[in-house]
Amino acid sequence: MNNSPQAGSEYGDPPVYKDHFYRSGDDRLTLYARIYESDGPPLLLMHGLTRNSADFEGLAAHLAGTYRLIIPDQRGRGRSGYDPDPANYIPATYVVDMMALIDGLNVDHVGLIGTSMGGLMAMMMAAMEPERFNSLILNDIGPVVEQDGLDRIQSYVGALAHFESWQQAADHCRKVHGEALVDYSEQDWMDFAKRTCEQLPGGRIRFAYDPTISEGLSDSQQTAVPPDLWPMWDRLSSIPTLILHGALSDIISPATIAEMLCRHSGPISATEIADRGHAPMLDEPDALSAIATFLQTVNP
């Protein structure tokens, strides 16, 4: 059993999780996930491009105990193995890893929560096996990914700076993400840094991901984001879906959200999160309320 080494100052006494290690879908790497055990319905939570399982600590503090939370570090992030071949750092590979994870845990039906890249993965998984996934929560992502947002992400992914102190790391996080998390305090940025960075044996600090994950973005949208996701979206129309999006997002547009709502024939809703760009942290009151209501509807 374990507790997050970073949680506590922001979310109070964190819920307990256990460490779970498993083999990747191609059997080349050892990957890691946090498991918050519960007799409740299982949920698979998938983080964004440069993040890790710690990104969901705030949401886990509210859902743990009611739901069985499965929260992986994708390959090349956090405590998961780094891939010697950067060509594998693409959503299609991660999806195979996620199938291996839930198969190994004998999970037959699961709800999906995905932030950014994790949301793309959630859509891909649900389109592959719609009967297996009973709900879909997408955080600031959709079938169209705005180029301005992709360009912004490309500008910092892979520039794996080292920091001499946690304060320096927190200041850097604020510089990169300050426009997306506009009301964050000094303590918020310190907590953010401690969730997204790791301290090396010599004391220096760096972001907790393999810098070569940036190579998955280098060939434009052909590898990082498939060019046309609308046909895939249309295959999800029977799955209850919640779309969360930042009011200031540069990744998903109001037009895309409107089209998603129009083309989905099943239960679907969208909630805008104020003072958030890409992407909301899912610990905001409006996000927590929308998620709780949605999950209670799906799992009465």
Side-chain angles (χ1 to χ4, degrees):
M1 306 296 282
N2 206 337
N3 281 325
S4 164
Q6 282 86 40
S9 60
E10 187 174 1
Y11 303 118
D13 191 18
V16 174
Y17 60 84
K18 70 176 184 181
D19 297 329
H20 177 71
F21 293 92
Y22 64 102
R23 295 298 290 174
S24 61
D26 55 14
D27 200 31
R28 297 172 64 246
L29 301 170
T30 298
L31 305 181
Y32 170 81
R34 301 180 180 194
I35 310 291
Y36 295 80
E37 291 291 6
S38 169
D39 293 332
L43 298 173
L44 176 65
L45 286 66
M46 295 175 287
H47 60 73
L49 181 67
T50 64
R51 308 292 182 82
N52 57 67
S53 55
D55 223 36
F56 292 108
E57 283 177 354
L59 182 57
H62 290 266
L63 298 182
T66 304
Y67 301 93
R68 185 188 188 199
L69 306 181
I70 305 165
I71 313 182
D73 291 343
Q74 301 300 329
R75 64 171 66 196
R77 285 85 164 172
R79 299 175 66 183
S80 285
Y82 285 16
D83 198 312
D85 183 359
N88 290 322
Y89 287 138
I90 56 173
T93 305
Y94 306 142
V95 164
V96 175
D97 292 339
M98 294 300 95
M99 293 300 194
L101 170 60
I102 59 177
D103 285 346
L105 292 170
N106 297 314
V107 175
D108 293 324
H109 296 92
V110 60
L112 300 174
I113 301 177
T115 293
S116 191
M117 180 191 79
L120 291 175
M121 294 164 55
M123 288 189 285
M124 294 168 68
M125 294 170 69
M128 289 168 55
E129 298 187 36
E131 70 286 349
R132 188 171 191 177
F133 303 105
N134 56 25
S135 62
L136 186 60
I137 297 177
L138 301 176
N139 183 21
D140 216 62
I141 197 69
V144 177
V145 180
E146 298 300 313
Q147 190 61 47
D148 285 349
L150 281 177
D151 291 344
R152 177 183 55 79
I153 292 170
Q154 277 188 299
S155 72
Y156 68 80
V157 174
L160 201 61
H162 286 77
F163 309 108
E164 300 301 324
S165 68
W166 281 110
Q167 186 60 57
Q168 191 177 82
D171 291 343
H172 181 86
C173 290
R174 175 167 46 195
K175 179 180 178 181
V176 173
H177 300 287
E179 293 184 0
L181 304 167
V182 297
D183 57 357
Y184 262 31
S185 66
E186 290 286 337
Q187 185 60 56
D188 289 330
W189 287 116
M190 182 61 69
D191 292 333
F192 184 98
K194 290 188 175 183
R195 290 193 302 270
T196 55
C197 297
E198 61 188 1
Q199 191 160 30
L200 303 176
R204 301 181 78 191
I205 298 159
R206 68 174 184 180
F207 286 106
Y209 66 83
D210 182 349
T212 66
I213 65 170
S214 63
E215 297 187 22
L217 295 173
S218 61
D219 293 330
S220 186
Q221 297 184 1
Q222 299 303 313
T223 54
V225 182
D228 184 6
L229 294 177
W230 284 117
M232 181 174 69
W233 176 253
D234 291 338
R235 294 199 294 272
L236 309 178
S237 62
S238 65
I239 300 176
T241 300
L242 170 63
I243 305 165
L244 300 166
H245 59 101
L248 310 175
S249 178
D250 59 0
I251 286 290
I252 188 169
S253 71
T256 295
I257 295 166
E259 184 76 3
M260 292 170 74
L261 294 170
C262 180
R263 293 171 71 145
H264 195 283
S265 60
I268 189 169
S269 60
T271 297
E272 181 177 277
I273 309 303
D275 296 325
R276 290 292 181 267
H278 184 75
M281 293 300 299
L282 303 187
D283 59 358
E284 300 87 358
D286 286 348
L288 291 170
S289 176
I291 291 169
T293 298
F294 173 78
L295 291 176
Q296 288 166 7
T297 300
V298 173
N299 304 285

